[in-house]
Amino acid sequence: MGCEMRNEPEVSTPQIEVIKEEVNLEDTISPGKLMAYAQSEAIEKYGKPSSKERFILDDAQGEFRNSISDMFTEEERQSESIKMDELTWEKDKNTWITAWYQVKDDKRVPKSVFSRDEGSEF
């Protein structure tokens, strides 16, 4: 009795490629980066904001909006012609970042950014 050798095709084991997702610090949300992007670009880059509000800038905005109010003269604020979009993102579990965009025709121009710790009161 002879032993017969068969040439069976080799079965290769599929290779599993492990991809580690690295956090690119350049992609994290920051005041400087928000000021560089129009509103639509910021939403595309950082996702849907946690909150969004449109308001008319006047002299009765409160402490939270001081940085944006200070960018316009008293006369401009009292004219009540400045439309603003306020977008807030959760940067991390302890930090929120808000960007204000002036609404001009069909554009949303970045005007100011404010970063604050969770639980900050104004």
Side-chain angles (χ1 to χ4, degrees):
M1 272 195 186
C3 206
E4 192 175 308
M5 293 222 27
R6 291 189 217 170
N7 286 337
E8 294 188 28
E10 286 186 34
V11 178
S12 64
T13 310
Q15 295 293 320
I16 298 173
E17 185 178 347
V18 177
I19 300 173
K20 292 183 180 179
E21 187 173 330
E22 293 182 23
V23 175
N24 183 350
L25 294 178
E26 296 203 11
D27 287 341
T28 61
I29 195 167
S30 71
K33 290 185 189 263
L34 279 176
M35 288 299 294
Y37 297 127
Q39 180 177 316
S40 60
E41 294 170 318
I43 292 170
E44 184 177 309
K45 180 85 173 161
Y46 301 117
K48 183 179 175 183
S50 300
S51 68
K52 181 178 177 183
E53 181 181 342
R54 175 163 294 167
F55 62 94
I56 302 294
L57 188 66
D58 58 22
D59 280 335
Q61 293 301 319
E63 186 180 348
F64 177 67
R65 293 181 175 154
N66 276 348
S67 66
I68 190 62
S69 293
D70 293 344
M71 299 197 74
F72 297 92
T73 67
E74 183 177 353
E75 185 177 299
E76 288 173 317
R77 291 189 308 267
Q78 289 178 353
S79 74
E80 296 187 4
S81 63
I82 305 167
K83 289 183 196 172
M84 301 298 297
D85 281 351
E86 177 181 280
L87 281 68
T88 301
W89 287 269
E90 184 176 11
K91 181 177 179 176
D92 57 46
K93 67 179 186 171
N94 298 314
T95 311
W96 293 87
I97 191 162
T98 299
W100 288 280
Y101 299 88
Q102 185 174 5
V103 178
K104 288 183 172 184
D105 301 319
D106 61 344
K107 295 181 182 175
R108 308 295 183 269
V109 181
K111 287 303 215 179
S112 186
V113 177
F114 182 70
S115 182
R116 67 191 183 285
D117 292 333
E118 179 75 27
S120 296
E121 293 185 27
F122 295 92

